[in-house]
Amino acid sequence: MSISAQQVKELRDRSGVGMMDCKKALIEANGDLDKAFEVLRKNGIAKAQKKSGRDAKEGSIVSYIHPGAKLGVLLELNCETDFVANTDDFKDLANDICMHIAATSPLSVRTKDVDSTIIDKEKEIYMDQAKKSGKPDAIIEKMVEGRLKKFFQENVLLEQNFVKDPSKTITDLITDKVSVLGENIVINSFSRFQVGEK
């Protein structure tokens, strides 16, 4: 099948992936742009999983001050080399994550980092709510699990839907950049500051 340069350019503009990878994906998808984009996403996730075990000891600390100077974020975003840390793609990702943190005020980077007292309190609330439904214990357990999962999706940075594109989570956003930049990228930590809040 013949793939036009225009198709390759369109897919590259949409995905940020290299020309050759775009062309291969379009061939695999018989010229269908949407299917080719999915192929690239799947390949990107596979590549990202391979890279996720590698050390990410370089990177940068990025700051974001929201207009009005009442809200600010400090973020440590790590990668494997200084070279990648200095690319526009990496810097754009860091800025996007900072703005996202400013907007959503997550509790932690990862689910395992959420304070156990917060989790216990949430479980207790969900259990009380579920018991009022009068459903059997097995169903109540599932209801609590479901609500806890939703709690993590709303409050844990890597689980949250990205504010600028809710079809992606922050994990998806990072995975996409890993496939473009070819290095492991890790959010190490963040701090969010708001005037008048402790």
Side-chain angles (χ1 to χ4, degrees):
M1 150 152 228
S2 122
I3 302 294
S4 73
Q6 180 56 35
Q7 285 173 295
V8 174
K9 184 184 180 311
E10 264 186 69
L11 185 58
R12 176 163 168 64
D13 290 346
R14 187 170 161 189
S15 66
V17 174
M19 294 285 201
M20 288 310 294
D21 286 331
C22 287
K23 188 170 183 180
K24 282 181 199 164
L26 280 161
I27 290 167
E28 190 177 324
N30 293 322
D32 183 314
L33 270 173
D34 291 332
K35 282 185 185 163
F37 186 72
E38 280 306 306
V39 167
L40 287 175
R41 291 240 13 224
K42 284 175 189 159
N43 290 344
I45 289 165
K47 282 181 188 172
Q49 284 172 340
K50 281 183 194 166
K51 291 177 174 59
S52 68
R54 300 194 330 209
D55 276 351
K57 302 238 188 255
E58 292 298 330
S60 54
I61 294 175
V62 182
S63 64
Y64 166 77
I65 305 295
H66 192 68
K70 303 266 187 213
L71 176 63
V73 173
L74 275 179
L75 169 73
E76 182 183 348
L77 188 65
N78 298 125
C79 56
E80 295 174 45
T81 63
D82 256 352
F83 173 77
V84 163
N86 288 313
T87 62
D88 288 340
D89 275 330
F90 185 84
K91 290 173 185 171
D92 290 346
L93 174 64
N95 284 325
D96 277 345
I97 294 171
C98 278
M99 283 191 280
H100 175 89
I101 292 167
T104 62
S105 189
L107 295 173
S108 67
V109 176
R110 290 163 206 81
T111 302
K112 68 182 177 86
D113 300 332
V114 178
D115 189 321
S116 61
T117 56
I118 293 172
I119 295 172
D120 292 343
K121 187 73 186 155
E122 290 300 314
K123 273 186 184 169
E124 192 182 308
I125 292 166
Y126 302 147
M127 189 64 82
D128 287 347
Q129 290 170 345
K131 280 180 181 168
K132 287 176 185 161
S133 71
K135 295 201 165 47
D137 286 352
I139 304 286
I140 287 172
E141 246 350 279
K142 290 219 180 325
M143 287 168 73
V144 171
E145 273 174 41
R147 288 178 187 167
L148 200 56
K149 187 177 179 187
K150 190 171 187 331
F151 172 80
F152 290 139
Q153 287 169 342
E154 289 171 356
N155 294 286
V156 174
L157 180 57
L158 290 173
E159 309 288 325
Q160 289 178 327
N161 291 332
F162 180 39
V163 289
K164 284 164 75 175
D165 180 0
S167 70
K168 292 180 177 183
T169 63
I170 296 299
T171 296
D172 294 335
L173 193 68
I174 292 169
T175 299
D176 290 349
K177 279 295 183 231
V178 167
S179 67
V180 171
L181 294 170
E183 287 194 7
N184 189 18
I185 297 172
V186 177
I187 298 173
N188 190 29
S189 61
F190 70 86
S191 289
R192 184 181 181 276
F193 305 90
Q194 188 158 355
V195 171
E197 281 187 10
K198 285 188 179 178

CSV table of all heavy atoms in Angstrom, one decimal, residues 15-18 21 40-41 43-45 47-48 51 174-183:
chain,number,residue,atom,x,y,z
A,15,SER,N,0.9,12.9,16.7
A,15,SER,CA,1.5,12.0,17.7
A,15,SER,C,2.9,12.5,18.3
A,15,SER,O,3.3,12.1,19.4
A,15,SER,CB,1.7,10.6,17.1
A,15,SER,OG,2.7,10.7,16.1
A,16,GLY,N,3.6,13.3,17.5
A,16,GLY,CA,4.9,13.7,17.9
A,16,GLY,C,6.0,12.6,17.7
A,16,GLY,O,7.1,12.8,18.2
A,17,VAL,N,5.6,11.5,17.1
A,17,VAL,CA,6.5,10.4,16.9
A,17,VAL,C,7.3,10.6,15.6
A,17,VAL,O,6.8,11.3,14.7
A,17,VAL,CB,5.7,9.1,16.9
A,17,VAL,CG1,6.6,7.9,16.6
A,17,VAL,CG2,5.1,8.9,18.2
A,18,GLY,N,8.5,10.0,15.5
A,18,GLY,CA,9.3,10.1,14.3
A,18,GLY,C,8.7,9.6,13.0
A,18,GLY,O,7.8,8.8,13.0
A,21,ASP,N,8.6,5.8,12.1
A,21,ASP,CA,7.6,5.1,13.0
A,21,ASP,C,6.2,5.4,12.5
A,21,ASP,O,5.3,4.5,12.5
A,21,ASP,CB,7.7,5.4,14.5
A,21,ASP,CG,9.0,4.8,15.1
A,21,ASP,OD1,9.4,3.7,14.6
A,21,ASP,OD2,9.5,5.4,16.0
A,40,LEU,N,0.6,3.4,17.2
A,40,LEU,CA,1.7,4.2,17.8
A,40,LEU,C,1.6,4.2,19.4
A,40,LEU,O,2.5,4.1,20.1
A,40,LEU,CB,1.8,5.6,17.3
A,40,LEU,CG,2.3,5.8,15.9
A,40,LEU,CD1,2.2,7.2,15.4
A,40,LEU,CD2,3.7,5.3,15.7
A,41,ARG,N,0.3,4.4,19.8
A,41,ARG,CA,0.1,4.5,21.3
A,41,ARG,C,0.5,3.2,21.9
A,41,ARG,O,1.1,3.1,22.9
A,41,ARG,CB,-1.4,4.8,21.6
A,41,ARG,CG,-1.7,6.2,21.3
A,41,ARG,CD,-2.2,7.2,22.3
A,41,ARG,NE,-2.0,6.8,23.7
A,41,ARG,CZ,-3.0,7.0,24.6
A,41,ARG,NH1,-4.1,7.5,24.2
A,41,ARG,NH2,-2.8,6.8,25.8
A,43,ASN,N,2.5,0.8,20.7
A,43,ASN,CA,4.0,0.6,20.7
A,43,ASN,C,4.7,1.5,21.7
A,43,ASN,O,5.6,1.1,22.3
A,43,ASN,CB,4.5,1.0,19.3
A,43,ASN,CG,4.0,0.0,18.2
A,43,ASN,OD1,3.6,-1.1,18.5
A,43,ASN,ND2,4.1,0.4,17.0
A,44,GLY,N,4.1,2.7,21.9
A,44,GLY,CA,4.7,3.7,22.9
A,44,GLY,C,4.6,3.1,24.3
A,44,GLY,O,5.5,3.2,25.1
A,45,ILE,N,3.5,2.5,24.6
A,45,ILE,CA,3.3,1.9,25.9
A,45,ILE,C,4.2,0.8,26.1
A,45,ILE,O,4.8,0.6,27.2
A,45,ILE,CB,1.8,1.5,26.1
A,45,ILE,CG1,0.9,2.7,26.2
A,45,ILE,CG2,1.6,0.6,27.3
A,45,ILE,CD1,-0.6,2.5,26.0
A,47,LYS,N,7.1,0.3,24.6
A,47,LYS,CA,8.5,0.9,24.7
A,47,LYS,C,8.6,1.5,26.1
A,47,LYS,O,9.7,1.3,26.8
A,47,LYS,CB,8.7,2.0,23.7
A,47,LYS,CG,9.0,1.4,22.3
A,47,LYS,CD,9.3,2.6,21.4
A,47,LYS,CE,9.4,2.2,19.9
A,47,LYS,NZ,9.5,3.3,19.0
A,48,ALA,N,7.6,2.2,26.6
A,48,ALA,CA,7.7,2.9,27.9
A,48,ALA,C,7.9,1.8,29.0
A,48,ALA,O,8.6,2.0,29.9
A,48,ALA,CB,6.5,3.7,28.1
A,51,LYS,N,11.4,0.7,29.2
A,51,LYS,CA,12.2,1.7,29.8
A,51,LYS,C,12.0,2.0,31.2
A,51,LYS,O,12.8,2.6,31.9
A,51,LYS,CB,12.1,3.0,28.9
A,51,LYS,CG,12.7,2.9,27.5
A,51,LYS,CD,12.4,4.1,26.7
A,51,LYS,CE,13.1,4.1,25.4
A,51,LYS,NZ,12.7,3.0,24.5
A,174,ILE,N,2.9,10.9,30.2
A,174,ILE,CA,4.3,10.6,30.4
A,174,ILE,C,4.7,9.5,29.4
A,174,ILE,O,5.7,9.6,28.8
A,174,ILE,CB,4.6,10.2,31.9
A,174,ILE,CG1,4.4,11.5,32.8
A,174,ILE,CG2,6.0,9.6,32.0
A,174,ILE,CD1,4.4,11.2,34.2
A,175,THR,N,3.8,8.5,29.3
A,175,THR,CA,4.1,7.3,28.4
A,175,THR,C,4.3,7.8,27.0
A,175,THR,O,5.2,7.4,26.3
A,175,THR,CB,3.0,6.3,28.5
A,175,THR,OG1,2.9,5.8,29.8
A,175,THR,CG2,3.2,5.1,27.5
A,176,ASP,N,3.4,8.7,26.5
A,176,ASP,CA,3.5,9.3,25.2
A,176,ASP,C,4.9,10.0,25.0
A,176,ASP,O,5.5,9.8,24.0
A,176,ASP,CB,2.4,10.3,24.9
A,176,ASP,CG,1.0,9.6,24.8
A,176,ASP,OD1,1.0,8.3,24.7
A,176,ASP,OD2,0.0,10.3,24.8
A,177,LYS,N,5.3,10.7,26.0
A,177,LYS,CA,6.6,11.4,25.9
A,177,LYS,C,7.8,10.5,25.9
A,177,LYS,O,8.8,10.7,25.3
A,177,LYS,CB,6.8,12.5,27.0
A,177,LYS,CG,6.1,13.8,26.8
A,177,LYS,CD,6.6,14.5,25.6
A,177,LYS,CE,5.9,15.9,25.5
A,177,LYS,NZ,5.4,16.2,24.2
A,178,VAL,N,7.7,9.4,26.7
A,178,VAL,CA,8.7,8.4,26.8
A,178,VAL,C,8.9,7.8,25.4
A,178,VAL,O,10.1,7.6,24.9
A,178,VAL,CB,8.4,7.3,27.8
A,178,VAL,CG1,9.3,6.1,27.7
A,178,VAL,CG2,8.5,7.8,29.2
A,179,SER,N,7.8,7.5,24.7
A,179,SER,CA,7.9,6.9,23.3
A,179,SER,C,8.6,7.9,22.3
A,179,SER,O,9.2,7.5,21.4
A,179,SER,CB,6.6,6.4,22.8
A,179,SER,OG,5.7,7.5,22.6
A,180,VAL,N,8.4,9.2,22.6
A,180,VAL,CA,9.0,10.2,21.7
A,180,VAL,C,10.5,10.5,22.0
A,180,VAL,O,11.3,10.5,21.2
A,180,VAL,CB,8.2,11.6,21.8
A,180,VAL,CG1,8.9,12.7,21.1
A,180,VAL,CG2,6.8,11.5,21.3
A,181,LEU,N,10.7,10.6,23.3
A,181,LEU,CA,12.1,11.0,23.8
A,181,LEU,C,13.0,9.8,24.0
A,181,LEU,O,14.2,9.9,24.0
A,181,LEU,CB,12.0,11.8,25.1
A,181,LEU,CG,11.4,13.1,24.9
A,181,LEU,CD1,11.1,13.7,26.3
A,181,LEU,CD2,12.2,14.1,24.1
A,182,GLY,N,12.5,8.6,24.1
A,182,GLY,CA,13.3,7.4,24.2
A,182,GLY,C,14.0,7.1,25.5
A,182,GLY,O,14.9,6.4,25.6
A,183,GLU,N,13.5,7.8,26.6
A,183,GLU,CA,14.1,7.6,27.9
A,183,GLU,C,12.9,7.5,28.9
A,183,GLU,O,11.8,8.0,28.8
A,183,GLU,CB,14.9,8.9,28.3
A,183,GLU,CG,16.2,9.0,27.6
A,183,GLU,CD,17.1,10.0,28.3
A,183,GLU,OE1,16.8,10.5,29.3
A,183,GLU,OE2,18.2,10.2,27.7
